[in-house]
Each structure stands twice: as C-alpha cells, then as structure tokens.
Amino acid sequence: MVPEATTEEVERQVTARMERQGILARKEPPQVFAVLDEIALRRGVQPETAQKHQLARLVDLAKRPNITIRIIPLDAGLYMGQWGQFTLFEFPDAEDTPVAYQEGLFGDVYVEDPGDPARYKVCAAHTSDAALNPTESQALIEKLAEESYG
C-alpha cells in the first residue's frame, strides 16, 4: 500500500484487487501466466496466518489449468524483471493491442502506446527465462507452504 494513503485510497486498492481475483472465478476464466520472485514468497507477512493463507492460495491456483505460476529462485541472480512489477494484458481479438499496467507510489499507470507494450513483452520473456519451470515452481510453493505451517 502507498505510504500516507487515505482510508478511501486503501479501500479502493483492496476492492480493485478483490475484483481482479474475482475474474478467476468466471465460467471461462482468462489464461494467467505469473512470474514471482522467491523472495516475495519468503518475506514475512503479519500476521503469520496471512502468509500461510497466501501460500496455500498459490498452491491451489497453480493447480488450475488456466494458471501458470513460475518462481524465480533466489540463486537466479539479476534478471530483467526485477526493476519493477507489471501486468501485461493481451486479448484474443487481434485488433485489441496489448496493455501494460503498473501500480505505483504515484498511482496506476496503463501503458497503451503500440510500441511500449512490446518492451514489456520482451521483459516478460527474459524474466520467464530466469524462472523455474511450472512443475518445479509448484513444488517450491508447496515446500514453502509446508515450512510455514510447521
């Protein structure tokens, strides 16, 4: 969350995130390809039960056929995507150009100029190359979830 954010801003961000998660419950959910840094899974969350819940949720999501989760291991070294998180939306209709989205300290940014999302695609490809494959990633998430329950 943004430092010094108003209660209304925090509520707006939480509502937006919950609505995005709701998309996964659709009858025909979108294909989701997520790449996460292992450190994000290991970073302590308070209360501790929240971290356990988040890891369990990732384990469940990784089992869905429309969701691919890949983890960049701690020993991967530097990789292109570590300079900031982003989401790249691609659409089935060829006339709809991709859109990149970044949530940041000064608000949300949608990058729609035709050439710009292509740069995000290159970054996503290089970042994905640094990640474990989906099977290895799921095993790591499950291991971390078990450790957090212990």
Side-chain angles (χ1 to χ4, degrees), residues 34-67:
V35 180
L36 305 170
D37 195 309
E38 181 180 346
I39 196 68
L41 303 179
R42 290 185 176 275
R43 183 172 310 281
V45 177
Q46 296 299 323
E48 189 176 303
T49 55
Q51 183 172 8
K52 292 176 184 179
H53 176 73
Q54 289 173 348
L55 289 169
R57 176 82 169 138
L58 285 176
V59 168
D60 291 341
L61 290 172
K63 294 176 182 175
R64 293 186 184 183
N66 64 306
I67 298 177

Side-chain angles (χ1 to χ4, degrees), residues 72 78-86 123-124 126-127:
I72 299 173
L78 296 175
Y79 61 93
M80 188 177 278
Q82 71 186 51
W83 292 293
Q85 68 181 32
F86 64 90
C123 181
H126 285 284
T127 299

Side-chain angles (χ1 to χ4, degrees), residues 36-141:
L36 305 170
D37 195 309
E38 181 180 346
I39 196 68
L41 303 179
R42 290 185 176 275
R43 183 172 310 281
V45 177
Q46 296 299 323
E48 189 176 303
T49 55
Q51 183 172 8
K52 292 176 184 179
H53 176 73
Q54 289 173 348
L55 289 169
R57 176 82 169 138
L58 285 176
V59 168
D60 291 341
L61 290 172
K63 294 176 182 175
R64 293 186 184 183
N66 64 306
I67 298 177
T68 301
I69 299 175
R70 296 189 57 191
I71 307 299
I72 299 173
L74 292 174
D75 63 1
L78 296 175
Y79 61 93
M80 188 177 278
Q82 71 186 51
W83 292 293
Q85 68 181 32
F86 64 90
T87 302
L88 185 61
F89 297 100
E90 296 182 289
F91 308 98
D93 190 339
E95 292 179 15
D96 294 328
T97 58
V99 174
Y101 166 78
Q102 287 184 290
E103 185 178 297
L105 185 60
F106 297 102
D108 303 341
V109 176
Y110 291 89
V111 181
E112 301 179 59
D113 291 336
D116 291 338
R119 294 172 72 188
Y120 285 91
K121 264 184 114 162
V122 168
C123 181
H126 285 284
T127 299
S128 158
D129 288 347
L132 300 172
N133 69 42
T135 302
E136 295 167 330
S137 295
Q138 184 167 350
L140 177 58
I141 296 167

